[in-house]
Amino acid sequence: MSPPTSRTEILAKLRAQIAEGKPIVGAGAGIGLSAKGIEEGGGDLIIIYNSGRFRMAGRGSLAGLMPYGNANDIVLEMANEILPILKTTPLLAGICATDPFRSLPQFLTTLKSLGIAGVQNFPTVGLIDHDSVFRANLEESGMGYDAEVALIKLAHDMDMLTTPYAFNVDEARRMAEAGADVVVAHMGLTASGGVGAKSGKTLEESVRDVQAIRDAAVEVNKDVIVLCHGGPIAMPEDAEFVLSRTKGVHGFYGASSVERLPVEKAIKATVGEFKGLGFGKHE
């Protein structure tokens, strides 16, 4: 058995779940063990991208935006590890849309042939402050968010599932216009844990911003699915806080929340238990 790749069938299953009042849960996997656990836990979508590799190496997710290796090459390596693990859960790939040495149509064709069901825009310039000179220079030199919107349109035209990150109302509209099936309202680098963000939005601010992103996307396409992600939305109770205070948001997408934070806690606790054991003294 291999993971499903039909965009139509995947969307039908997601929408049926929404109609039943069940949240959609998408999850990032940096290693095969994480992917296996996500599938066994009932995750609806699994996404691989380069920061997952760094995250499971004990580094922060923003390592995925740094020049520590080619993001698209890393995704291919991860696909070879994770695809054989999966049986029933669609696998999506995070694509660096501004890669100057990659033909995106050819690359997406390769991913489809491997069994990748869809794409997401990561690494993304959306994590870089709009008001910074660096972000302005990226946009001015053809390495901005426009390229990520074009990636989503290309993947949509190739009948791949698309689940892009949007960081504000304008980006939500643009991604919906490009044909996004799922818009993920990104609230910034995930807080909490050993390498999580220490500054960012509050949960109350996230409720406001997630709702605004959702409303903007739905204005363009009433059928678009919207998930929340990142920032202070780190634990299940955080996601519940946001989902219970927003309208028309269909679930949660987590990466650090799903594989980094649980692993940090479980390993630390287990080692602590072993260290707490007694032993007999023998002369």
Side-chain angles (χ1 to χ4, degrees):
M1 184 179 294
S2 57
T5 58
S6 167
R7 171 176 171 267
T8 301
E9 292 176 6
I10 296 168
L11 283 173
K13 184 175 180 181
L14 295 179
R15 286 174 177 145
Q17 191 165 303
I18 291 169
E20 295 174 4
K22 298 178 180 178
I24 303 300
V25 177
I31 56 175
L33 183 62
S34 297
K36 186 175 183 179
I38 292 165
E39 182 167 76
E40 291 177 350
D44 300 294
L45 302 169
I46 294 177
I47 303 90
I48 55 174
Y49 42 76
N50 68 331
S51 69
R53 175 67 56 85
F54 296 118
R55 184 167 48 244
M56 298 312 287
R59 307 300 178 180
S61 296
L62 285 182
L65 272 66
M66 299 297 285
Y68 303 146
N70 182 282
N72 293 328
D73 286 342
I74 291 172
V75 161
L76 280 177
E77 293 174 5
M78 295 172 71
N80 289 329
E81 175 181 347
I82 291 174
L83 270 170
I85 291 287
L86 301 178
K87 298 177 181 178
T88 60
T89 312
L91 184 65
L92 287 74
I95 307 299
C96 179
T98 58
D99 188 340
F101 302 113
R102 190 81 54 170
S103 164
L104 288 182
Q106 185 179 58
F107 188 46
L108 294 188
T109 299
T110 298
L111 293 176
K112 285 190 73 171
S113 71
L114 291 174
I116 299 290
V119 302
Q120 187 173 56
N121 56 325
F122 193 93
T124 172
V125 301
L127 283 166
I128 302 171
D129 190 348
H130 253 291
D131 296 328
S132 68
V133 173
F134 183 45
R135 175 66 181 271
N137 290 164
L138 287 171
E139 299 289 347
E140 293 161 356
S141 55
M143 293 181 282
Y145 197 79
D146 284 348
E148 299 177 26
V149 175
L151 163 71
I152 296 305
K153 185 179 187 308
L154 173 63
H156 175 75
D157 291 345
M158 294 176 65
D159 202 31
M160 299 182 78
L161 189 73
T162 52
T163 67
Y165 285 134
F167 297 80
N168 55 49
V169 166
D170 177 63
E171 291 172 358
R173 291 195 186 100
R174 291 163 66 189
M175 283 302 189
E177 289 168 354
D181 299 304
V182 179
V183 169
V184 182
H186 200 307
M187 296 296 103
L189 185 67
T190 300
S192 189
V195 291
K198 301 298 186 291
S199 58
K201 299 179 181 182
T202 65
L203 279 171
E204 290 77 9
E205 290 169 335
S206 295
V207 168
R208 176 199 65 201
D209 293 346
V210 167
Q211 187 68 66
I213 287 173
R214 178 266 174 193
D215 292 346
V218 170
E219 283 178 8
V220 177
N221 175 12
K222 63 180 179 62
D223 295 322
V224 70
I225 295 170
V226 179
L227 308 180
C228 60
H229 167 75
I233 316 171
M235 305 301 292
E237 56 266 29
D238 303 324
E240 182 181 28
F241 184 95
V242 174
L243 293 175
S244 65
R245 290 165 173 79
T246 52
K247 181 179 180 181
V249 180
H250 306 113
F252 172 72
Y253 167 73
S256 296
S257 300
V258 170
E259 64 173 357
R260 174 175 65 82
L261 295 175
V263 167
E264 284 180 353
K265 293 178 179 179
I267 292 178
K268 182 179 179 180
T270 300
V271 172
E273 289 180 17
F274 277 113
K275 287 294 292 181
L277 297 177
F279 58 90
K281 296 182 179 180
H282 300 283
E283 297 296 334

